[in-house]
Amino acid sequence: MKFSDEARIRVRAGDGGDGCVSFRREKYIPRGGPDGGDGGDGGDVTLVLAPDINTLADFRARKVFRAGNGSAGAGRDRSGAAGADLRIPVPAGTRVTEADTQEVLGELNADNTELLVARGGRGGRGNTRFKSSVNRAPRQHTPGTRGEARRLELDLTLLADVGLLGLPNAGKSTLLRAVSEARPKVADYPFTTLHPQLGVVAVGPMQSFVMADIPGLLPGAASGVGLGSRFLRHLRRTRLLLHLVDMTSAEGAAAPVGNLAEDVTTIAGELKKFDEKLAGLERWLVLNKADLLPEEEAARIRTGLTGELAWSAPVFTISALTGAGTRELAAASVQRLEKLEKEHDSDDDANR
């Protein structure tokens, strides 16, 4: 499933240092010539491809980036130090546009791993540069030029890493809201979600993934029943499925374990009918709406359901509404995705 992750940032290259006006003054040399050094160049701002990043989530916390300024020149023909360059890591596929002019500056990919987005100012010239046969004691110098400043729009086309499955009103959209900045419609009736919804889940620095929520599935979805049938194909390119199960009944009490097991089996069967490969994806069980049940009741359902299904994959008990357990679920998901990525890289190396 593809969608656009976007971020707006401001970048400022470093200013160049000023040139220096200085004259050589030493013992026995009272009228030495000019020895003012040049200023250092300002640092550049460059976007660089980072294979271990897959979203623009880190740019939500930090939006202003500035390279170092160049130092001023000094006497004895000493040039100022250049400002430190700033290299900003971005994921592959990031398209960079200047916000003011809408000019596309470039795209970071395997063929273009770096993109200079703001050039540093040039260092000013010291008075030594202005010495001539007719001007032996010049007092001219030039100041450093300012570095470029730009407002950039970063746009990244993403594939969803994690897909949410479940019957209508299982709490998929609520979970997406709890762990990401996405704001899908949430209401207490089935089929609130009419279109696929996606969000970027930021777990920590340089750790994030994309989660996809599709409309709830019904028995017969693989044959076209219900809204979810049109969107099952979007989950084919995810790497991990989270199967949400509402532990409560329509009356708000604990649902019978047998009914829940039947629901899980039905969804799994629809996946298999639709696509064997999709059914073979790793699938975790996520028991939702724990806030509506006593803790011991939720534990009883978890034990009974996993036993009846002979479930061996990970199981999580959460409340998407209160957020309980969602951070642990997100952290476990990103760790598993990282492991799958390493396994994929190892397989690629073995096949070369």
Side-chain angles (χ1 to χ4, degrees), residues 48-54 89-92 113 206:
V48 295
L49 182 66
D52 54 340
I53 304 177
N54 57 7
V90 296
T113 59
M206 312 288 278

Side-chain angles (χ1 to χ4, degrees), residues 271-300:
L271 293 180
K272 191 170 184 179
K273 290 178 188 176
F274 186 80
D275 188 333
E276 289 278 355
K277 184 178 179 182
L278 179 58
L281 288 177
E282 185 170 348
R283 184 163 50 100
W284 293 1
L285 202 58
V286 181
L287 307 181
N288 191 23
K289 304 189 181 180
D291 56 301
L292 300 179
L293 299 174
E295 188 174 337
E296 59 274 10
E297 189 70 11
R300 181 189 66 79

Side-chain angles (χ1 to χ4, degrees), residues 35 76 85 102 112 120 159 185 188-189 200 235 255 273 279 292 310 312 316 325:
D35 67 354
R76 299 186 181 179
D85 293 332
Q102 290 301 301
N112 185 29
L159 297 175
K185 183 179 179 182
D188 189 22
Y189 54 83
V200 176
L235 297 181
K273 290 178 188 176
L292 300 179
S312 58
F316 293 84

Side-chain angles (χ1 to χ4, degrees), residues 167 219 243 245-246 255-269 283 305 309:
L167 294 173
H243 190 152
V245 177
D246 180 358
V257 171
N259 292 356
L260 298 181
E262 183 180 348
D263 292 341
V264 172
T265 304
T266 298
I267 295 295
R283 184 163 50 100
L305 183 58
L309 294 172

Side-chain angles (χ1 to χ4, degrees), residues 151-163:
R151 292 191 305 134
L152 302 178
E153 295 176 353
L154 307 182
D155 184 84
L156 176 64
T157 299
L158 295 177
L159 297 175
D161 301 299
V162 175

Side-chain angles (χ1 to χ4, degrees), residues 1-317:
M1 178 184 289
K2 293 184 178 181
F3 86 114
S4 265
D5 190 12
E6 298 175 347
R8 278 179 169 247
I9 62 173
R10 294 170 57 193
V11 294
R12 176 71 184 269
D15 298 334
D18 295 339
C20 175
V21 175
S22 175
F23 295 92
R24 184 180 176 194
R25 291 291 184 265
E26 296 181 27
K27 193 174 182 180
Y28 307 120
I29 308 178
R31 293 180 176 273
D35 67 354
D38 298 337
D41 293 337
D44 299 330
V45 180
T46 305
L47 301 183
V48 295
L49 182 66
D52 54 340
I53 304 177
N54 57 7
T55 72
L56 299 175
D58 291 332
F59 294 103
R60 296 198 179 96
R62 182 182 177 189
K63 296 180 179 294
V64 180
F65 298 84
R66 181 161 186 166
N69 293 329
S71 300
R76 299 186 181 179
D77 290 317
R78 289 175 295 177
S79 296
D85 293 332
L86 180 62
R87 297 168 67 81
I88 306 172
V90 296
T94 301
R95 191 166 181 255
V96 185
T97 304
E98 185 162 13
D100 296 329
T101 64
Q102 290 301 301
E103 176 191 0
V104 177
L105 303 181
E107 181 174 325
L108 280 295
N109 50 45
D111 299 322
N112 185 29
T113 59
E114 295 189 5
L115 180 64
L116 178 66
V117 292
R119 191 179 298 277
R122 297 293 300 274
R125 294 188 294 170
N127 64 336
T128 304
R129 298 279 189 175
F130 296 91
K131 181 176 65 175
S132 67
S133 59
V134 295
N135 186 3
R136 303 212 171 230
R139 295 186 176 274
Q140 300 101 309
H141 77 288
T142 59
T145 61
R146 293 180 66 84
E148 293 179 337
R150 280 176 162 167
R151 292 191 305 134
L152 302 178
E153 295 176 353
L154 307 182
D155 184 84
L156 176 64
T157 299
L158 295 177
L159 297 175
D161 301 299
V162 175
L164 300 181
L165 288 174
L167 294 173
N169 222 28
K172 300 184 298 299
S173 297
T174 305
L175 175 59
L176 187 63
R177 290 173 67 100
V179 297
S180 77
E181 295 296 322
R183 288 296 175 262
K185 183 179 179 182
V186 174
D188 189 22
Y189 54 83
F191 297 119
T192 308
T193 301
L194 300 177
H195 304 283
Q197 303 286 334
L198 301 102
V200 176
V201 181
V203 178
M206 312 288 278
Q207 280 190 312
S208 59
F209 62 91
V210 182
M211 181 178 284
D213 168 27
I214 68 167
L217 302 179
L218 289 176
S223 304
V225 176
L227 297 173
S229 61
R230 291 180 294 170
F231 305 111
L232 273 174
R233 61 186 175 85
H234 290 305
L235 297 181
R236 284 173 171 159
R237 299 188 68 179
T238 60
R239 294 182 288 165
L240 177 64
L241 299 176
L242 301 183
H243 190 152
L244 264 71
V245 177
D246 180 358
M247 292 189 291
T248 65
S249 65
E251 295 75 26
V257 171
N259 292 356
L260 298 181
E262 183 180 348
D263 292 341
V264 172
T265 304
T266 298
I267 295 295
E270 293 301 326
L271 293 180
K272 191 170 184 179
K273 290 178 188 176
F274 186 80
D275 188 333
E276 289 278 355
K277 184 178 179 182
L278 179 58
L281 288 177
E282 185 170 348
R283 184 163 50 100
W284 293 1
L285 202 58
V286 181
L287 307 181
N288 191 23
K289 304 189 181 180
D291 56 301
L292 300 179
L293 299 174
E295 188 174 337
E296 59 274 10
E297 189 70 11
R300 181 189 66 79
I301 291 177
R302 174 173 175 150
T303 303
L305 183 58
T306 53
E308 187 157 339
L309 294 172
W311 192 269
S312 58
V315 183
F316 293 84
T317 302

